[in-house]
Amino acid sequence: MIEKNPQGEVWVFAEQQDGTINDVALELCGKARELGDRLGVKVGAVLPGAGLNGQAKQLIAHGADNVYVVDNPRLGHYQTEPYTKVLVTLIEKHKPQIVLYGATNMGRDLCCALPRRHGPA
Amino acid sequence: MDEVDLCAKCADYLDIPNQNHHLEQTLEPKHVAFDSVVLVKQVPDTGNVTAEAMKDDGTVNRAALPAIFNPEDLHALETALEVRDRFGGTVTCVTMGPPKAAEILRECLYRGADRVVLLTDRRAAASDTLATSYILSQAVKTVGKYDLVFCGRQAIDGDTAQTGPQAAEKLGIPQVTYLEEFVGGQDGKARIKRNIGNGWEIVDVRLPALVTVMESANTPRPLGARRMMQFKRAQVPSEIEGAVRNEMADATDEARQAEVAKRTAALQEQGMLLEQWDLDDINADIDRCGLSGSPTKVYRIQAIVLKKEGHKEVAPTADGISELVHELVVDRTLG
């Protein structure tokens, strides 16, 4: 389990399909903004995908301070393993203290791979 | 750029020219059999949660609600049974719970399961999804060789939909969530149609794999009358002990022990003694179980009740309707 990082950002998994960010992810940016302000830390959005263009700005408009864009053809269509790998790598590198996922099919499929590698969901 | 072949049957892209990628056509059923483990749960009937059902520490007082077979686990069991009917193999059902959970194991037998196991241990009580998925993964490993692990998408008491995928992670196997249809299978691989929220996709997955099943996937078969007659007397050791304790409350310990031994031997001889494991039987690390292994605790459960604020009359004219639609759109009820 990694140690909790009190300077860690509050993150949102920016779920997208064919370039359109899911509404839930945008709503979560708002919530993350609240949490970040209360904790005194920044808000980050993680955006894996392929051929991305302009979505980062939309996430910033909805409350994110930083957007971590991971653009690769292999991420064009959601699959558990590659997306998990992206999240795991970023979480280990930047150590956010909270990561929010929408309770969508994709969000629930993805978030469960992480606890074993990082601690509780 | 090379010409890309399209499948003549479904117009999907072929990775290899002339490949036949419809697994069901390449199946030779007699060579393929799948051993499945189905994770099932007895849950409080959450259609009827009241304040009395919640304890102070945030866990559910299960004794206050009637207990049922978690609905989506029934669909998971049905998928496993259909896979067995089609390809051959075995279906083993495992549940983690108090001794009362043996009731749903009997129901698994009535529907056609080959083997059932109760995992029961006081030290597992109040486990959250992290602890539960750990315990279940240990139990699956103890069951032995398996090709597929099936579970319902989510349980109606927690609604997290996390326990299945977390168990897959602990078993180190791939997961396919939201199964709508088990399309086909061959040695070492399965093809599954899954729901992705606004549509579906078909995925191939290497086995062994864990699959969560949606309610829409199938209609569970009815209980088999003959199997009910056959298995209604089947019990786990804890049930035998409990019954003897109640019936012989005034007897000595030795007398009770002798009676338990006698009934156990009789059931065993008839093949009616169901398997029961505790956390030691599955080599579980106790610190990762129960409350101590559960970083998350339920703070509050709320049933949201929508109250009517009043009513409004809409004129049955074109203008009236269009005004109504406009209001619903602005309100984001529509569109």
Side-chain angles (χ1 to χ4, degrees):
Chain A
M1 262 211 274
I2 55 175
E3 295 291 305
K4 181 179 143 171
N5 172 12
Q7 270 79 48
E9 295 177 346
V10 177
W11 277 10
V12 172
F13 166 59
E15 173 176 340
Q16 58 83 21
Q17 204 159 49
D18 298 325
T20 307
I21 300 188
N22 189 300
D23 272 353
V24 167
L26 297 176
E27 287 173 29
L28 283 176
C29 285
K31 195 67 198 173
R33 182 79 261 157
E34 266 179 52
L35 287 171
D37 289 342
R38 230 167 48 194
L39 293 166
V41 300
K42 292 201 169 168
V43 172
V46 179
L47 180 63
L52 299 166
N53 185 11
Q55 292 87 351
K57 282 198 223 143
Q58 195 187 10
L59 291 163
I60 292 181
H62 279 83
D65 296 302
N66 297 322
V67 181
Y68 302 83
V69 179
V70 189
D71 196 323
N72 188 290
R74 289 183 195 175
L75 300 173
H77 191 75
Y78 173 78
Q79 282 196 65
T80 315
E81 278 299 314
Y83 272 61
T84 300
K85 187 135 191 209
V86 165
L87 265 298
V88 163
T89 308
L90 288 174
I91 289 172
E92 277 175 348
K93 186 166 175 195
H94 298 281
K95 305 195 191 340
Q97 54 178 304
I98 299 174
V99 185
L100 301 173
Y101 301 82
T104 59
N105 287 26
M106 196 192 291
R108 284 171 154 181
D109 186 281
L110 176 60
C111 72
C112 301
L114 302 176
R116 179 175 77 102
R117 310 184 202 195
H118 292 289
Chain B
M1 187 157 131
D2 293 345
E3 286 277 314
V4 179
D5 279 2
L6 299 178
C7 169
K9 189 171 175 188
C10 72
D12 198 354
Y13 290 105
L14 296 176
D15 302 318
I16 306 160
N18 300 317
Q19 172 194 32
N20 180 354
H21 70 182
H22 290 275
L23 271 179
E24 65 269 26
Q25 288 181 351
T26 64
L27 272 181
E28 290 173 40
K30 60 185 185 293
H31 297 305
V32 180
F34 298 111
D35 293 321
S36 301
V37 180
V38 188
L39 301 177
V40 297
K41 185 180 182 189
Q42 189 179 47
V43 293
D45 188 357
T46 53
N48 302 306
V49 172
T50 61
E52 284 80 33
M54 294 299 295
K55 297 194 281 195
D56 286 337
D57 63 3
T59 56
V60 174
N61 181 8
R62 288 158 192 277
L65 294 172
I68 61 174
F69 202 125
N70 181 48
E72 284 187 319
D73 294 344
L74 263 185
H75 294 278
L77 173 60
E78 179 62 29
T79 307
L81 292 170
E82 283 176 6
V83 166
R84 184 194 62 190
D85 291 345
R86 201 168 141 195
F87 300 96
T90 61
V91 174
T92 301
C93 296
V94 176
T95 189
M96 174 180 115
K100 190 172 147 68
E103 290 166 359
I104 65 165
L105 292 179
R106 276 187 289 277
E107 207 180 316
C108 293
L109 290 169
Y110 301 157
R111 289 173 197 276
D114 301 295
R115 181 185 177 197
V116 297
V117 180
L118 171 69
L119 177 52
T120 189
D121 194 311
R122 287 190 190 284
R123 297 168 293 178
S127 296
D128 68 0
T129 59
L130 190 76
T132 302
S133 59
Y134 165 69
I135 294 169
L136 289 173
S137 66
Q138 290 299 110
V140 170
K141 289 178 193 169
T142 310
V143 163
K145 180 190 162 302
Y146 59 92
D147 301 297
L148 289 155
V149 181
F150 289 102
C151 8
R153 174 186 55 143
Q154 65 191 46
I156 60 173
D157 52 356
D159 267 6
T160 65
Q162 290 186 21
T163 304
Q166 283 188 24
E169 184 55 23
K170 289 171 172 63
L171 289 166
I173 62 179
Q175 69 194 41
V176 177
T177 54
Y178 309 102
L179 173 146
E180 279 194 351
E181 187 187 328
F182 192 95
V183 174
Q186 52 181 205
D187 255 335
K189 203 155 72 147
R191 174 163 288 192
I192 290 170
K193 179 178 176 187
R194 60 182 294 262
N195 183 309
I196 56 172
N198 56 358
W200 51 263
E201 64 180 12
I202 296 189
V203 298
D204 287 346
V205 64
R206 263 188 354 258
L207 302 177
L210 181 140
V211 180
T212 78
V213 177
M214 295 195 66
E215 185 195 18
S216 51
N218 52 46
T219 305
R221 62 196 59 190
L223 309 177
R226 192 178 308 170
R227 289 185 74 91
M228 278 182 78
M229 295 300 295
Q230 187 183 2
F231 290 111
K232 68 180 181 195
R233 286 175 303 108
Q235 292 196 314
V236 291
S238 284
E239 287 179 297
I240 301 172
E241 286 155 26
V244 168
R245 247 199 319 271
N246 285 337
E247 293 164 30
M248 297 173 65
D250 297 329
T252 61
D253 278 345
E254 291 84 18
R256 277 196 293 263
Q257 275 175 23
E259 180 63 21
V260 166
K262 180 170 147 222
R263 294 189 191 185
T264 305
L267 281 183
Q268 182 140 43
E269 203 184 336
Q270 295 153 15
M272 292 289 127
L273 185 67
L274 302 180
E275 291 177 75
Q276 178 175 319
W277 296 343
D278 63 16
L279 293 178
D280 300 318
D281 293 320
I282 60 171
N283 287 313
D285 173 0
I286 304 301
D287 288 335
R288 295 179 67 177
C289 306
L291 264 182
S292 62
S294 301
T296 52
K297 291 179 175 43
V298 175
Y299 175 66
R300 185 174 53 197
I301 293 183
Q302 246 179 334
I304 311 271
V305 178
L306 297 175
K307 288 212 277 266
K308 187 179 73 165
E309 278 187 356
H311 71 270
K312 188 170 172 173
E313 277 192 24
V314 176
T317 61
D319 280 342
I321 303 290
S322 102
E323 208 180 283
L324 169 67
V325 169
H326 178 74
E327 195 177 313
L328 290 175
V329 167
V330 163
D331 196 32
R332 301 199 79 165
T333 307
L334 281 183

